Amino acid sequence: MKQKYFILALFACALIFSTIVVLNTWTENKLSVDEKRFDLDQNDELSEAEKQLMFRVMRLEAARGNKFSAQEIREMQGGQGDRSRGRDGFGRRRGSREPSGPRLDPEQVAFKDGAATIPDRETFKKLSYQGTEVRIDTQLIGIEFVKFQIENTHTQNPQLYFMNTETHRSHGSFMGAAGLGRGQGQMRGVLSYRPLFTAPNGEPGVYTFEFNPNDAFPFEEIKLAHDLLVSKMPILKNRLGYCPLWGAIGIYNRERTRYDAAEFPVYFEDDLYANIGYLPLNQAASFGRLRVLEADERPTVRDIVICKTLPNEMPRVAGVITGVQQTPLSHVNLRAIQDKVPNAFIAEAWKSERIAPLIGKYVYYEVNADGFEIREATFKEVESHFSDLRPTETQKPERNLSLTEILPLDSIRFADSSGFGVKTANVATLRTFGFPEETVPNGFGVPFYFYDEFMKHNGFYEQVENLLSDPMFQSEQDTKVTELKKFRAEIEKGGMPAWMMDALSELQNAFPEGTSLRCRSSTNNEDLPGFSGAGLYDSYTHHPNEGHLSKSIKQVFASLWNFRAFEARDFYRIDHFSTAMGVLVHHNFADELANGVAVTDDVVYQTIGNYYLNTQVGEDLVTNPEEQSVPEEILMDWWDSSNYRVVKTSNRTTDSKRILTDAYLRELSRYLGMIHNKFGQLYAPTSQTADFAMEIEFKITNDGKLSIKQARPWVR
């Protein structure tokens, strides 16, 4: 994982420069040198398909660290390249290297080239590779793997070579270094580590072995390979399974009874994304008191909570463990990422022998890709951790009160976020990307100026000062919850000056009579790089029978003072008086067919070159899922929407029917490429780094149209 981000970081600057040049030249209606590489029909302009290809190829080049040739780019336009037997996808023949010296036995191979044994996990890491340079083996992108070769399988003394896969990405390269020629009795395979899955022995992490996609070895040879691998790498015992690729499926089916009786399991590729027993949603470490959170209980900032069901709302906590699978893009996980606290799904965690004895005690809890660590901690460790965690000085978010009028979205710029909030400014910016009409909702932005004038008109700032000076409010959580609830009720009943009522009436009348309006929170301390604020504030739908729009606007204003938002600001020492609420107003989406969240990078399984998509039917929100809800989960290739993997199907559909059809995937692919690159330029230079990604929320409306309702930077 570290290697992935190291590679990405090295070449981020090159990508930014290249993309800026490209975008600038578009405005001048001429092609740059870099852009001409993608003018495949040589007509001196880029079609939409060529632009999308350019976006994706340049992003992949940043990950690789070098540029593709013109021929390789043409092959990418076709999607797959040459996958015929004996070629690596770019037309080069594989395995043609001749031995560079005498034949070496496994024990004679230098470690820079390989090894005869792997005694422990650390040695596996040293021999492994994880990244994008996998040649034809695209199924291995982002997976930690060690290639191996078995010689003389037709004799009584077969030999196993583990390759140093960091040095030799191909078997042909290794064979040249080890003096191995082509001959009878050879098996060339890959040993991969899959950290998210539970092995038959109950330990987290599964290893799988596979061979070339078109190889078809009989059961006896597969068992021989399994036994050799376990004998030379003891930690594989009861943790190793065989993964037959497409060429081996036929012979596997013919010999199925022998595999069913074997001591090792068989995993098909789709199995490796199902039945997860452990999922690291946010890799981090923390200290706190471990407790099982019941449905009616409220945690504190120092609690590491075990949730038997997934809560829709949660204030800041020290760490999260859920006993049911989480939706990776839920507000609970987005909060964990934002707060930099560990979060993982651990099946039936409260029953675990490692976890149950620690409930009620101070613990150290760490989530990582390989598993989790949890141990008892001292009170001193906990105190030191929290004293180092909070900012030392008060933070004051920018609040521009010079923007005094409600404006249509088409009059709001990206830079106006300081006066309208990032949510409003980003939706307004989305409308400038040339997407089809109604893809991005049209509406209005109510600026921070309205909130500030409303608070002053009712003397509410003075009430906040009284609350903050009350010792009971500061020290007693129940008092804080009660007083904030009372304050919100007063805000909802507060009066508005006549000019504000008139302005909101004009906004309301701008929509057709009988339109339900969605009033969405848009503050100056959410949707920011490094702080998403996901789930902190509330949005409301204003129906025609509810009278004046001020009712719902005041409800949104009041949500600035809910407990979870107050606690988050308090922990990060964000000045409550500098925080302001704007409101994004557009027509309400009723009876939607589906809702979803997408990220322009795979932020869950950490594969490279994929978008990550979550979708659920109807109004069972991905961000705030109903109990036991399992959304559809898809990984989609950056540059080829037809190349995707359905990791999970929704449990709200019948017959495992897919929500995002191929047509929707094609449409999303176009939008995501544009959103990633356009916002990457707008957030540059501080946020356009190698691990920059954008998160969007989308809907499929009741008439089947795809609508994008929000875009914000993904917080790493």
Side-chain angles (χ1 to χ4, degrees):
M1 192 67 61
K2 291 180 180 177
Q3 183 184 38
K4 167 188 170 183
Y5 290 124
F6 176 72
I7 293 171
L8 290 170
L10 282 176
F11 303 101
C13 292
L15 174 64
I16 296 168
F17 177 77
S18 299
T19 310
I20 290 174
V21 169
V22 168
L23 292 173
N24 285 342
T25 55
W26 281 356
T27 62
E28 299 170 5
N29 295 318
K30 62 181 180 180
L31 300 182
S32 68
V33 173
D34 216 13
E35 197 174 5
K36 287 180 180 178
R37 298 188 297 141
F38 303 93
D39 182 20
L40 302 181
D41 54 12
Q42 298 184 344
N43 66 347
D44 294 326
E45 64 181 33
L46 293 185
S47 67
E48 186 61 32
E50 288 169 335
K51 290 176 186 177
Q52 292 298 327
L53 177 67
M54 182 192 68
F55 283 146
R56 295 181 172 100
V57 169
M58 290 176 69
R59 190 174 175 190
L60 186 61
E61 286 175 338
R64 283 167 43 105
N66 53 43
K67 291 185 177 181
F68 291 101
S69 69
Q71 179 60 33
E72 289 171 342
I73 291 173
R74 287 188 176 278
E75 289 172 350
M76 286 181 190
Q77 186 189 36
Q80 299 299 323
D82 184 356
R83 292 294 189 261
S84 59
R85 186 182 180 94
R87 293 188 179 273
D88 67 359
F90 296 122
R92 299 184 292 265
R93 291 197 173 275
R94 294 180 287 147
S96 58
R97 182 173 300 186
E98 295 298 322
S100 59
R103 188 184 192 282
L104 303 177
D105 288 331
E107 293 76 13
Q108 297 174 304
V109 176
F111 192 82
K112 69 178 180 64
D113 294 313
T117 61
I118 300 181
D120 49 37
R121 171 91 181 119
E122 289 305 311
T123 305
F124 182 88
K125 289 181 179 179
K126 293 175 182 177
L127 291 169
S128 68
Y129 174 76
Q130 185 175 18
T132 61
E133 294 289 337
V134 296
R135 300 197 175 188
I136 192 174
D137 304 313
T138 54
Q139 78 277 10
L140 297 176
I141 288 177
I143 294 175
E144 184 184 15
F145 66 92
V146 169
K147 289 192 173 183
F148 64 88
Q149 181 142 335
I150 303 175
E151 294 281 309
N152 304 323
T153 61
H154 60 304
T155 71
Q156 295 297 313
N157 298 299
Q159 293 177 303
L160 172 64
Y161 296 79
F162 290 108
M163 294 167 46
N164 188 321
T165 314
E166 186 68 42
T167 305
H168 302 287
R169 208 78 77 244
S170 71
H171 287 90
S173 172
F174 171 77
M175 290 170 68
L180 304 178
R182 298 275 173 175
Q184 188 179 2
Q186 292 179 328
M187 302 176 75
R188 287 175 282 278
V190 179
L191 180 64
S192 302
Y193 180 56
R194 320 278 184 161
L196 305 184
F197 312 99
T198 303
N201 66 354
E203 292 294 318
V206 167
Y207 292 84
T208 62
F209 67 103
E210 61 191 53
F211 298 95
N212 289 335
N214 48 9
D215 284 336
F217 296 111
F219 173 80
E220 289 85 355
E221 294 190 47
I222 298 299
K223 185 178 187 307
L224 169 67
H226 172 272
D227 294 346
L228 275 173
L229 288 167
V230 172
S231 68
K232 300 298 183 180
M233 184 175 167
I235 63 172
L236 294 179
K237 185 174 177 60
N238 295 324
R239 298 179 70 182
L240 179 64
Y242 170 51
C243 182
L245 301 185
W246 61 265
I249 299 299
I251 192 170
Y252 165 79
N253 288 331
R254 291 192 296 273
E255 298 184 308
R256 177 70 179 270
T257 55
R258 303 190 68 180
Y259 282 101
D260 290 343
E263 63 183 28
F264 57 89
V266 174
Y267 299 104
F268 292 95
E269 286 188 279
D270 288 341
D271 294 336
L272 297 171
Y273 288 86
N275 302 318
I276 295 174
Y278 167 72
L279 184 62
L281 277 300
N282 190 45
Q283 298 180 41
S286 184
F287 290 86
R289 187 184 297 278
L290 185 65
R291 59 180 289 195
V292 177
L293 187 67
E294 301 300 337
D296 58 345
E297 292 183 321
R298 184 174 283 107
T300 72
V301 295
R302 296 190 174 210
D303 287 337
I304 293 173
V305 295
I306 301 173
C307 304
K308 294 184 178 181
T309 59
L310 185 64
N312 283 335
E313 294 184 6
M314 185 180 290
R316 194 190 195 284
V317 293
V320 182
I321 300 172
T322 61
V324 294
Q325 285 199 35
Q326 295 183 41
T327 303
L329 301 181
S330 69
H331 283 160
V332 171
N333 191 49
L334 296 182
R335 287 293 309 280
I337 294 169
Q338 165 194 291
D339 295 338
K340 297 179 174 59
V341 299
N343 180 25
F345 156 64
I346 304 172
E348 297 190 317
W350 56 91
K351 298 180 182 179
S352 167
E353 293 181 358
R354 296 173 58 189
I355 296 174
L358 298 172
I359 293 174
K361 300 179 180 179
Y362 286 121
V363 299
Y364 169 77
Y365 168 46
E366 180 179 3
V367 170
N368 55 59
D370 292 348
F372 67 92
E373 178 184 349
I374 191 164
R375 62 167 175 82
E376 191 167 357
T378 65
F379 179 74
K380 184 177 181 180
E381 286 180 304
V382 175
E383 287 296 299
S384 176
H385 171 73
F386 280 96
S387 65
D388 293 340
L389 199 59
R390 296 184 70 193
T392 57
E393 297 180 355
T394 299
Q395 303 182 73
K396 294 188 176 183
E398 185 178 3
R399 183 170 74 160
N400 180 1
L401 300 178
S402 67
L403 301 173
T404 61
E405 296 181 3
I406 296 173
L407 292 178
L409 290 180
D410 291 343
S411 298
I412 296 174
R413 303 168 301 161
F414 178 78
D416 292 334
S417 61
S418 63
F420 286 90
V422 179
K423 185 181 296 179
T424 298
N426 280 6
V427 171
T429 301
L430 281 170
R431 291 184 53 79
T432 68
F433 290 175
F435 297 155
E437 189 67 26
E438 299 184 359
T439 300
V440 181
N442 196 6
F444 296 84
V446 179
F448 297 155
Y449 176 77
F450 276 54
Y451 166 81
D452 183 63
E453 289 296 310
F454 170 77
M455 293 290 285
K456 290 188 294 189
H457 181 76
N458 290 277
F460 287 146
Y461 284 135
E462 289 78 4
Q463 290 192 40
V464 173
E465 289 177 348
N466 292 335
L467 288 175
L468 295 179
S469 63
D470 183 351
M472 288 289 289
F473 180 86
Q474 292 289 7
S475 61
E476 298 290 336
Q477 187 183 59
D478 289 343
T479 299
K480 187 179 297 183
V481 171
T482 300
E483 292 301 320
L484 286 173
K485 184 177 180 180
K486 290 180 181 177
F487 185 47
R488 291 197 303 278
E490 290 189 44
I491 290 176
E492 291 176 9
K493 291 185 294 186
M496 283 187 172
W499 65 266
M500 191 178 296
M501 293 290 286
D502 292 342
L504 291 176
S505 292
E506 185 177 346
L507 186 163
Q508 190 170 3
N509 293 333
F511 292 90
E513 186 176 354
T515 301
S516 291
L517 300 179
R518 188 66 173 163
C519 301
R520 301 172 61 193
S521 61
S522 182
T523 72
N524 59 348
N525 72 325
E526 64 177 331
D527 294 347
L528 299 169
F531 189 89
S532 77
L536 289 183
Y537 307 105
D538 299 319
S539 300
Y540 294 87
T541 300
H542 189 85
H543 298 290
N545 62 359
E546 292 183 273
H548 197 275
L549 183 61
S550 60
K551 173 181 180 291
S552 295
I553 296 294
K554 287 188 288 185
Q555 287 178 307
V556 177
F557 285 171
S559 76
L560 195 74
W561 300 97
N562 66 51
F563 175 74
R564 63 184 182 276
F566 184 92
E567 285 284 270
R569 292 197 302 270
D570 199 53
F571 185 88
Y572 287 106
R573 302 189 194 278
I574 295 173
D575 181 24
H576 297 292
F577 296 98
S578 297
T579 304
M581 177 68 77
V583 186
L584 168 62
V585 182
H586 56 71
H587 75 276
N588 183 52
F589 293 94
D591 302 320
E592 60 204 45
L593 301 180
N595 75 96
V597 180
V599 185
T600 61
D601 203 356
D602 176 10
V603 294
V604 177
Y605 300 102
Q606 302 297 330
T607 61
I608 296 175
N610 288 308
Y611 299 123
Y612 179 76
L613 315 174
N614 270 189
T615 316
Q616 187 56 285
V617 298
E619 297 184 9
D620 180 1
L621 297 181
V622 166
T623 53
N624 290 92
E626 297 174 6
E627 188 173 343
Q628 304 302 325
S629 175
V630 177
E632 177 179 273
E633 194 175 356
I634 292 178
L635 295 175
M636 180 175 64
D637 191 286
W638 281 343
W639 58 92
D640 181 6
S641 65
S642 66
N643 183 16
Y644 60 86
R645 176 186 294 276
V646 179
V647 180
K648 289 190 188 76
T649 57
S650 166
N651 66 349
R652 298 290 192 253
T653 61
T654 57
D655 301 325
S656 299
K657 186 178 180 181
R658 185 152 54 92
I659 301 171
L660 290 181
T661 63
D662 287 354
Y664 286 132
L665 290 178
R666 284 194 298 272
E667 196 173 0
L668 270 173
S669 179
R670 294 195 301 273
Y671 298 158
L672 289 170
M674 181 72 75
I675 287 168
H676 179 93
N677 287 281
K678 290 282 192 178
F679 274 110
Q681 294 305 310
L682 290 168
Y683 281 108
T686 58
S687 297
Q688 173 65 323
T689 59
D691 60 355
F692 174 78
M694 287 294 293
E695 172 203 349
I696 71 164
E697 293 185 24
F698 63 90
K699 293 179 181 293
I700 299 175
T701 63
N702 58 8
D703 57 357
K705 294 182 180 178
L706 190 66
S707 176
I708 301 173
K709 56 173 284 191
Q710 187 166 336
R712 59 187 168 205
W714 176 260
V715 179
R716 299 280 184 176

